[in-house]
Amino acid sequence: MLSRLGALLQEAVGAREPSIDLLEAFVEHWKGITNYYIESTDENTPAKKTDIPWRLKQMLDILVYEEKQQAAAGEAGPCLEYLLQHKILETLCTLGKAEYPPGMRQQVLQFFSKVLAQVQHPLLHYLSVHRPVQKLLRLGGTVPGSLTEKEEVQFTTVLCSKIQQDPALLTYILEGKKTVGRKEASREATALPREAAGIKNEEQPHSKAPDRGAWGARALSTQLPAETEQPDGGTGESSLITSLIGLCKSKKGRVALKAQENLLLLVSVASQAAATYLVQSSPCCPAIVEHLCQLYQSLPSFLDPADIAALEGISWRLPSAPSDEASFPGKETLAAFLGWFDYCDHLITEAHTVVSDALAKSVAEKLFVEILQPQLLHVSEQSVLTSTALLTAILRQLRSPALLREAVAFLLGTDQQPAAPKDSPHTLGGHLVRHCDHLSDEISIATLRLFEELLQKPHEQIIHSLILCHLEGRPYVARGSPEPESYEDTLDLEEDPYFTDGFLDSGFQPSMKPPPAPVTNPDGKTAVTEIVNSFLCLVPEEAKTSAFLEETGYDTYVHDAYGLFQECSSRVAPWGWPPAPTPLDPHEPERPFFEGHFLRMLFDRMSRILEQPYSLNLQVTSVLSRLALFPHPLIHEYLLDPYINLAPGCRSLFSVLVRVIGDLMQRIQRVPQFPGKLLLVRRQLMGQVPGEQLDHQTLLQGVVVLEEFCKELAAIAFVKFPPHGPHLRLSEPPEGHV
């Protein structure tokens, strides 16, 4: 030994010569910390005013410098081995737990974070590191508003970064046990390099040390029986998850955001085994969803649906409500809930598939089924109204495919068979369709908004369950007759049974004579000009007022419809819809047609447009416009083609509008000064004149909505019916029509 030491001392600039001095300095700094507790009698001096932070900093610098000087990569130097052998981290953890001197926990957290981040040698597999890491995690994240939140989140950041680099660490850290078994223990025994210099006694750091491998085996073998039999009291299970969830609830925005980013990093690990462990053996999903449910249940019951609808732009990265929006009671609580839901949605999007599916199912089960569904079906109108508005806000925030799939199954079920007219609702969606025709106009409006939001989600089952499953096979078209080739084969306005003799004798006439035979294309489709003019000419001139005002023309609707149609088309493009309806078999017998509960409700509501409140009419027409935008040939034909030959007893959107016009022409005969009052109501609705109560106000407002809706449908038909091929040439629109 003496000859070996002499050889070392004779080296000019040996790689190992500084290590002896480093070890002396390292031990001296550690002894300085321990001596403080022996000699100090002042219990009130903060840790940062002692020499402890400086000594910890020196110890860290020595460890980092020593590692850089090591000749062999991955080899533990004497100082690092001293740290591990003498369980310095465990001692520091105990001192931090005692919080003596005051602020010691903060110093310990900082030291742990820096050692794990800056020392490149893998440390977390050592028992003398793993144990104190677990203990330190359990100290934090439990008390909201802790003074060490900043240091705690830095500590978890380092751990999550290590897990990202080595996903195998995830199960090891999350287990929270002192050791996993003899296999792990044997791994520990060989973890320390045999060549590294060892320490036998703190007081004699340069004395002869035992063989490193033998020491490691003996140390672990003496600890193994007690440690493999008990899992640390059972409180250490997944303490990293518990700590992160606790920090996510911090009132300090930066701390909460960093904790959320760390948790996101954790759930997005690529390892299948780690993701499976995270789902099956950790409280990750239950803890995340439990906090979501707690935030929902803390919402006040008196939230105004209009306030809920107006609160937009909430993000998990910026969960507080925008300050420029009007304040209302419960605003901050609502913003906190929507912010955490947005975070859950983002987690589901970014997480490993195993975690994503499990978290989505947990949200659906705990929030949707157990909390929201009873409220949506409650007898209390206030409960129904608030929960419907909140579900709409949730859908507006929802982006992840996995959670959208669960939401659609929650609302519409999994059975996509068409319903019969007398079927009672067997899904939540069936009950919600009934709510659209509720005695309470507020509930009807709120539920219609919910469906409008749902129709904008990229999931094919939505439009299929509500509409397409009833239109398949085109049972609404009369069998046994060829496809219409000319206008004479379809209903003329004067032959339409919805128009009574009283209407034609009243002195009011449609805005033009029935158009000539529509231009048809080689594929049998009616030219877009004829369809557009059919809607534009539907409302008689005597019931139109938009011509008297600026910026309310048809061109504006075309511009808006074009953007909405492009957006809708890109959303449904992956679904592979056919470009045209399947031709009818003239020999196929007719079968009963039922448009479905959803369309029946909308048509019924539309037929009462002259009797319903203005806000309700706006919402009904808004949903119908959303439906009409879908580029499916059956939807286009059924909702936007006035010339289809309907089967007996069937109605389409155009036939409903024709009946409404017939009803309107009967009603306006009983309203004196109808044109003047109608123009005044339009100006009131546009805010150009002060609002005042008029006779027949509901009727007059309904007429305004009807005129605008017909223009909107015309615009949608125009932008949806571009040439499908070079053979289609659109004729010039008649002057004054398009």
Side-chain angles (χ1 to χ4, degrees), residues 491-515:
L491 282 178
D492 191 296
L493 280 180
E494 295 175 359
E495 298 172 349
D496 195 296
Y498 297 134
F499 284 82
T500 62
D501 293 338
F503 162 62
L504 295 174
D505 295 339
S506 63
F508 292 97
Q509 297 295 329
S511 55
M512 62 170 287
K513 293 181 180 179

PDB file of all heavy atoms in Angstrom, residues 491-515:
ATOM      1  N   LEU A 491     -93.146  19.689 -57.787  1.00  0.00           N
ATOM      2  CA  LEU A 491     -94.273  20.509 -57.336  1.00  0.00           C
ATOM      3  C   LEU A 491     -94.123  21.945 -57.801  1.00  0.00           C
ATOM      4  O   LEU A 491     -93.093  22.572 -57.599  1.00  0.00           O
ATOM      5  CB  LEU A 491     -94.345  20.478 -55.807  1.00  0.00           C
ATOM      6  CG  LEU A 491     -94.963  19.228 -55.172  1.00  0.00           C
ATOM      7  CD1 LEU A 491     -94.900  19.354 -53.667  1.00  0.00           C
ATOM      8  CD2 LEU A 491     -96.400  19.059 -55.616  1.00  0.00           C
ATOM      9  N   ASP A 492     -95.152  22.437 -58.436  1.00  0.00           N
ATOM     10  CA  ASP A 492     -95.249  23.858 -58.722  1.00  0.00           C
ATOM     11  C   ASP A 492     -95.843  24.514 -57.484  1.00  0.00           C
ATOM     12  O   ASP A 492     -96.659  23.938 -56.775  1.00  0.00           O
ATOM     13  CB  ASP A 492     -96.163  24.071 -59.942  1.00  0.00           C
ATOM     14  CG  ASP A 492     -96.099  25.488 -60.449  1.00  0.00           C
ATOM     15  OD1 ASP A 492     -96.498  26.380 -59.687  1.00  0.00           O
ATOM     16  OD2 ASP A 492     -95.647  25.678 -61.584  1.00  0.00           O
ATOM     17  N   LEU A 493     -95.426  25.760 -57.223  1.00  0.00           N
ATOM     18  CA  LEU A 493     -95.959  26.443 -56.040  1.00  0.00           C
ATOM     19  C   LEU A 493     -97.478  26.480 -56.058  1.00  0.00           C
ATOM     20  O   LEU A 493     -98.143  26.322 -55.040  1.00  0.00           O
ATOM     21  CB  LEU A 493     -95.409  27.875 -55.963  1.00  0.00           C
ATOM     22  CG  LEU A 493     -93.980  28.041 -55.398  1.00  0.00           C
ATOM     23  CD1 LEU A 493     -93.617  29.505 -55.414  1.00  0.00           C
ATOM     24  CD2 LEU A 493     -93.909  27.469 -54.000  1.00  0.00           C
ATOM     25  N   GLU A 494     -98.072  26.708 -57.258  1.00  0.00           N
ATOM     26  CA  GLU A 494     -99.518  26.838 -57.329  1.00  0.00           C
ATOM     27  C   GLU A 494    -100.211  25.496 -57.173  1.00  0.00           C
ATOM     28  O   GLU A 494    -101.410  25.437 -56.946  1.00  0.00           O
ATOM     29  CB  GLU A 494     -99.893  27.485 -58.672  1.00  0.00           C
ATOM     30  CG  GLU A 494     -99.367  28.931 -58.754  1.00  0.00           C
ATOM     31  CD  GLU A 494     -99.629  29.530 -60.118  1.00  0.00           C
ATOM     32  OE1 GLU A 494    -100.190  28.820 -60.965  1.00  0.00           O
ATOM     33  OE2 GLU A 494     -99.283  30.693 -60.328  1.00  0.00           O
ATOM     34  N   GLU A 495     -99.446  24.395 -57.321  1.00  0.00           N
ATOM     35  CA  GLU A 495    -100.033  23.079 -57.144  1.00  0.00           C
ATOM     36  C   GLU A 495     -99.730  22.506 -55.765  1.00  0.00           C
ATOM     37  O   GLU A 495    -100.201  21.435 -55.421  1.00  0.00           O
ATOM     38  CB  GLU A 495     -99.482  22.123 -58.216  1.00  0.00           C
ATOM     39  CG  GLU A 495     -99.833  22.544 -59.639  1.00  0.00           C
ATOM     40  CD  GLU A 495     -99.121  21.692 -60.660  1.00  0.00           C
ATOM     41  OE1 GLU A 495     -98.216  20.931 -60.251  1.00  0.00           O
ATOM     42  OE2 GLU A 495     -99.459  21.771 -61.848  1.00  0.00           O
ATOM     43  N   ASP A 496     -98.894  23.227 -55.005  1.00  0.00           N
ATOM     44  CA  ASP A 496     -98.477  22.686 -53.715  1.00  0.00           C
ATOM     45  C   ASP A 496     -99.661  22.661 -52.755  1.00  0.00           C
ATOM     46  O   ASP A 496    -100.344  23.671 -52.563  1.00  0.00           O
ATOM     47  CB  ASP A 496     -97.360  23.567 -53.133  1.00  0.00           C
ATOM     48  CG  ASP A 496     -96.646  22.863 -52.008  1.00  0.00           C
ATOM     49  OD1 ASP A 496     -97.289  22.595 -50.987  1.00  0.00           O
ATOM     50  OD2 ASP A 496     -95.438  22.584 -52.166  1.00  0.00           O
ATOM     51  N   PRO A 497     -99.946  21.525 -52.140  1.00  0.00           N
ATOM     52  CA  PRO A 497    -101.104  21.446 -51.241  1.00  0.00           C
ATOM     53  C   PRO A 497    -100.942  22.309 -49.999  1.00  0.00           C
ATOM     54  O   PRO A 497    -101.918  22.600 -49.321  1.00  0.00           O
ATOM     55  CB  PRO A 497    -101.151  19.958 -50.862  1.00  0.00           C
ATOM     56  CG  PRO A 497     -99.754  19.461 -51.082  1.00  0.00           C
ATOM     57  CD  PRO A 497     -99.235  20.242 -52.243  1.00  0.00           C
ATOM     58  N   TYR A 498     -99.701  22.753 -49.696  1.00  0.00           N
ATOM     59  CA  TYR A 498     -99.520  23.581 -48.508  1.00  0.00           C
ATOM     60  C   TYR A 498    -100.057  24.997 -48.722  1.00  0.00           C
ATOM     61  O   TYR A 498    -100.311  25.722 -47.788  1.00  0.00           O
ATOM     62  CB  TYR A 498     -98.033  23.661 -48.142  1.00  0.00           C
ATOM     63  CG  TYR A 498     -97.446  22.319 -47.779  1.00  0.00           C
ATOM     64  CD1 TYR A 498     -96.208  21.931 -48.308  1.00  0.00           C
ATOM     65  CD2 TYR A 498     -98.118  21.453 -46.934  1.00  0.00           C
ATOM     66  CE1 TYR A 498     -95.669  20.699 -47.981  1.00  0.00           C
ATOM     67  CE2 TYR A 498     -97.581  20.224 -46.612  1.00  0.00           C
ATOM     68  CZ  TYR A 498     -96.355  19.857 -47.134  1.00  0.00           C
ATOM     69  OH  TYR A 498     -95.816  18.649 -46.803  1.00  0.00           O
ATOM     70  N   PHE A 499    -100.169  25.409 -50.000  1.00  0.00           N
ATOM     71  CA  PHE A 499    -100.679  26.737 -50.295  1.00  0.00           C
ATOM     72  C   PHE A 499    -102.185  26.662 -50.505  1.00  0.00           C
ATOM     73  O   PHE A 499    -102.665  26.015 -51.429  1.00  0.00           O
ATOM     74  CB  PHE A 499     -99.995  27.310 -51.554  1.00  0.00           C
ATOM     75  CG  PHE A 499     -98.607  27.786 -51.293  1.00  0.00           C
ATOM     76  CD1 PHE A 499     -97.546  26.888 -51.263  1.00  0.00           C
ATOM     77  CD2 PHE A 499     -98.371  29.114 -51.042  1.00  0.00           C
ATOM     78  CE1 PHE A 499     -96.267  27.326 -51.014  1.00  0.00           C
ATOM     79  CE2 PHE A 499     -97.082  29.559 -50.794  1.00  0.00           C
ATOM     80  CZ  PHE A 499     -96.038  28.667 -50.780  1.00  0.00           C
ATOM     81  N   THR A 500    -102.914  27.331 -49.642  1.00  0.00           N
ATOM     82  CA  THR A 500    -104.377  27.283 -49.714  1.00  0.00           C
ATOM     83  C   THR A 500    -104.882  28.341 -50.686  1.00  0.00           C
ATOM     84  O   THR A 500    -104.169  29.264 -51.068  1.00  0.00           O
ATOM     85  CB  THR A 500    -104.964  27.560 -48.327  1.00  0.00           C
ATOM     86  OG1 THR A 500    -104.572  28.878 -47.919  1.00  0.00           O
ATOM     87  CG2 THR A 500    -104.458  26.555 -47.313  1.00  0.00           C
ATOM     88  N   ASP A 501    -106.163  28.183 -51.045  1.00  0.00           N
ATOM     89  CA  ASP A 501    -106.764  29.176 -51.939  1.00  0.00           C
ATOM     90  C   ASP A 501    -106.750  30.549 -51.308  1.00  0.00           C
ATOM     91  O   ASP A 501    -106.600  31.566 -51.984  1.00  0.00           O
ATOM     92  CB  ASP A 501    -108.205  28.761 -52.276  1.00  0.00           C
ATOM     93  CG  ASP A 501    -108.232  27.484 -53.113  1.00  0.00           C
ATOM     94  OD1 ASP A 501    -107.199  27.198 -53.755  1.00  0.00           O
ATOM     95  OD2 ASP A 501    -109.262  26.779 -53.096  1.00  0.00           O
ATOM     96  N   GLY A 502    -106.934  30.593 -49.976  1.00  0.00           N
ATOM     97  CA  GLY A 502    -106.938  31.893 -49.299  1.00  0.00           C
ATOM     98  C   GLY A 502    -105.632  32.617 -49.492  1.00  0.00           C
ATOM     99  O   GLY A 502    -105.598  33.834 -49.608  1.00  0.00           O
ATOM    100  N   PHE A 503    -104.561  31.877 -49.490  1.00  0.00           N
ATOM    101  CA  PHE A 503    -103.255  32.500 -49.663  1.00  0.00           C
ATOM    102  C   PHE A 503    -103.146  33.122 -51.048  1.00  0.00           C
ATOM    103  O   PHE A 503    -102.727  34.256 -51.214  1.00  0.00           O
ATOM    104  CB  PHE A 503    -102.169  31.443 -49.458  1.00  0.00           C
ATOM    105  CG  PHE A 503    -100.837  31.826 -50.022  1.00  0.00           C
ATOM    106  CD1 PHE A 503    -100.162  32.935 -49.565  1.00  0.00           C
ATOM    107  CD2 PHE A 503    -100.253  31.061 -51.033  1.00  0.00           C
ATOM    108  CE1 PHE A 503     -98.942  33.269 -50.087  1.00  0.00           C
ATOM    109  CE2 PHE A 503     -99.034  31.401 -51.555  1.00  0.00           C
ATOM    110  CZ  PHE A 503     -98.373  32.506 -51.078  1.00  0.00           C
ATOM    111  N   LEU A 504    -103.579  32.382 -52.071  1.00  0.00           N
ATOM    112  CA  LEU A 504    -103.438  32.895 -53.427  1.00  0.00           C
ATOM    113  C   LEU A 504    -104.419  34.026 -53.706  1.00  0.00           C
ATOM    114  O   LEU A 504    -104.168  34.880 -54.555  1.00  0.00           O
ATOM    115  CB  LEU A 504    -103.640  31.764 -54.433  1.00  0.00           C
ATOM    116  CG  LEU A 504    -102.567  30.654 -54.368  1.00  0.00           C
ATOM    117  CD1 LEU A 504    -102.952  29.516 -55.296  1.00  0.00           C
ATOM    118  CD2 LEU A 504    -101.207  31.213 -54.747  1.00  0.00           C
ATOM    119  N   ASP A 505    -105.538  34.025 -52.987  1.00  0.00           N
ATOM    120  CA  ASP A 505    -106.533  35.071 -53.217  1.00  0.00           C
ATOM    121  C   ASP A 505    -106.303  36.298 -52.357  1.00  0.00           C
ATOM    122  O   ASP A 505    -107.072  37.250 -52.403  1.00  0.00           O
ATOM    123  CB  ASP A 505    -107.937  34.523 -52.915  1.00  0.00           C
ATOM    124  CG  ASP A 505    -108.311  33.408 -53.887  1.00  0.00           C
ATOM    125  OD1 ASP A 505    -107.688  33.374 -54.979  1.00  0.00           O
ATOM    126  OD2 ASP A 505    -109.191  32.591 -53.536  1.00  0.00           O
ATOM    127  N   SER A 506    -105.267  36.263 -51.527  1.00  0.00           N
ATOM    128  CA  SER A 506    -105.107  37.339 -50.552  1.00  0.00           C
ATOM    129  C   SER A 506    -104.535  38.605 -51.151  1.00  0.00           C
ATOM    130  O   SER A 506    -104.465  39.630 -50.487  1.00  0.00           O
ATOM    131  CB  SER A 506    -104.178  36.861 -49.428  1.00  0.00           C
ATOM    132  OG  SER A 506    -102.890  36.591 -49.958  1.00  0.00           O
ATOM    133  N   GLY A 507    -104.107  38.548 -52.378  1.00  0.00           N
ATOM    134  CA  GLY A 507    -103.500  39.726 -52.979  1.00  0.00           C
ATOM    135  C   GLY A 507    -101.997  39.710 -52.909  1.00  0.00           C
ATOM    136  O   GLY A 507    -101.335  40.498 -53.560  1.00  0.00           O
ATOM    137  N   PHE A 508    -101.461  38.846 -52.078  1.00  0.00           N
ATOM    138  CA  PHE A 508    -100.010  38.715 -51.994  1.00  0.00           C
ATOM    139  C   PHE A 508     -99.557  37.610 -52.924  1.00  0.00           C
ATOM    140  O   PHE A 508    -100.170  36.557 -52.999  1.00  0.00           O
ATOM    141  CB  PHE A 508     -99.574  38.391 -50.560  1.00  0.00           C
ATOM    142  CG  PHE A 508     -99.814  39.525 -49.611  1.00  0.00           C
ATOM    143  CD1 PHE A 508    -100.959  39.553 -48.812  1.00  0.00           C
ATOM    144  CD2 PHE A 508     -98.897  40.557 -49.514  1.00  0.00           C
ATOM    145  CE1 PHE A 508    -101.170  40.599 -47.935  1.00  0.00           C
ATOM    146  CE2 PHE A 508     -99.106  41.595 -48.624  1.00  0.00           C
ATOM    147  CZ  PHE A 508    -100.252  41.625 -47.838  1.00  0.00           C
ATOM    148  N   GLN A 509     -98.475  37.854 -53.607  1.00  0.00           N
ATOM    149  CA  GLN A 509     -97.931  36.862 -54.526  1.00  0.00           C
ATOM    150  C   GLN A 509     -96.473  36.605 -54.170  1.00  0.00           C
ATOM    151  O   GLN A 509     -95.806  37.453 -53.584  1.00  0.00           O
ATOM    152  CB  GLN A 509     -98.023  37.370 -55.984  1.00  0.00           C
ATOM    153  CG  GLN A 509     -99.441  37.579 -56.450  1.00  0.00           C
ATOM    154  CD  GLN A 509    -100.224  36.281 -56.511  1.00  0.00           C
ATOM    155  OE1 GLN A 509     -99.654  35.223 -56.766  1.00  0.00           O
ATOM    156  NE2 GLN A 509    -101.520  36.351 -56.245  1.00  0.00           N
ATOM    157  N   PRO A 510     -95.965  35.436 -54.503  1.00  0.00           N
ATOM    158  CA  PRO A 510     -94.532  35.217 -54.307  1.00  0.00           C
ATOM    159  C   PRO A 510     -93.741  36.272 -55.058  1.00  0.00           C
ATOM    160  O   PRO A 510     -94.252  36.956 -55.947  1.00  0.00           O
ATOM    161  CB  PRO A 510     -94.301  33.818 -54.886  1.00  0.00           C
ATOM    162  CG  PRO A 510     -95.644  33.159 -54.804  1.00  0.00           C
ATOM    163  CD  PRO A 510     -96.650  34.243 -55.023  1.00  0.00           C
ATOM    164  N   SER A 511     -92.451  36.392 -54.717  1.00  0.00           N
ATOM    165  CA  SER A 511     -91.642  37.487 -55.256  1.00  0.00           C
ATOM    166  C   SER A 511     -91.441  37.375 -56.760  1.00  0.00           C
ATOM    167  O   SER A 511     -90.985  38.308 -57.377  1.00  0.00           O
ATOM    168  CB  SER A 511     -90.282  37.517 -54.567  1.00  0.00           C
ATOM    169  OG  SER A 511     -89.658  36.254 -54.689  1.00  0.00           O
ATOM    170  N   MET A 512     -91.775  36.249 -57.347  1.00  0.00           N
ATOM    171  CA  MET A 512     -91.685  36.108 -58.795  1.00  0.00           C
ATOM    172  C   MET A 512     -92.562  34.928 -59.186  1.00  0.00           C
ATOM    173  O   MET A 512     -92.988  34.147 -58.358  1.00  0.00           O
ATOM    174  CB  MET A 512     -90.231  35.843 -59.227  1.00  0.00           C
ATOM    175  CG  MET A 512     -89.646  34.554 -58.670  1.00  0.00           C
ATOM    176  SD  MET A 512     -88.073  34.116 -59.387  1.00  0.00           S
ATOM    177  CE  MET A 512     -88.606  33.596 -61.007  1.00  0.00           C
ATOM    178  N   LYS A 513     -92.811  34.829 -60.453  1.00  0.00           N
ATOM    179  CA  LYS A 513     -93.554  33.673 -60.924  1.00  0.00           C
ATOM    180  C   LYS A 513     -92.675  32.432 -60.762  1.00  0.00           C
ATOM    181  O   LYS A 513     -91.461  32.520 -60.698  1.00  0.00           O
ATOM    182  CB  LYS A 513     -93.930  33.860 -62.402  1.00  0.00           C
ATOM    183  CG  LYS A 513     -94.921  34.986 -62.618  1.00  0.00           C
ATOM    184  CD  LYS A 513     -95.257  35.101 -64.078  1.00  0.00           C
ATOM    185  CE  LYS A 513     -96.262  36.228 -64.311  1.00  0.00           C
ATOM    186  NZ  LYS A 513     -96.596  36.379 -65.733  1.00  0.00           N
ATOM    187  N   PRO A 514     -93.314  31.285 -60.704  1.00  0.00           N
ATOM    188  CA  PRO A 514     -92.501  30.071 -60.594  1.00  0.00           C
ATOM    189  C   PRO A 514     -91.443  30.053 -61.686  1.00  0.00           C
ATOM    190  O   PRO A 514     -91.722  30.370 -62.847  1.00  0.00           O
ATOM    191  CB  PRO A 514     -93.517  28.952 -60.787  1.00  0.00           C
ATOM    192  CG  PRO A 514     -94.804  29.542 -60.327  1.00  0.00           C
ATOM    193  CD  PRO A 514     -94.755  30.993 -60.722  1.00  0.00           C
ATOM    194  N   PRO A 515     -90.212  29.715 -61.321  1.00  0.00           N
ATOM    195  CA  PRO A 515     -89.132  29.767 -62.310  1.00  0.00           C
ATOM    196  C   PRO A 515     -89.375  28.758 -63.416  1.00  0.00           C
ATOM    197  O   PRO A 515     -90.105  27.792 -63.252  1.00  0.00           O
ATOM    198  CB  PRO A 515     -87.895  29.389 -61.488  1.00  0.00           C
ATOM    199  CG  PRO A 515     -88.436  28.618 -60.319  1.00  0.00           C
ATOM    200  CD  PRO A 515     -89.768  29.221 -60.031  1.00  0.00           C
TER     201      PRO A 515
END
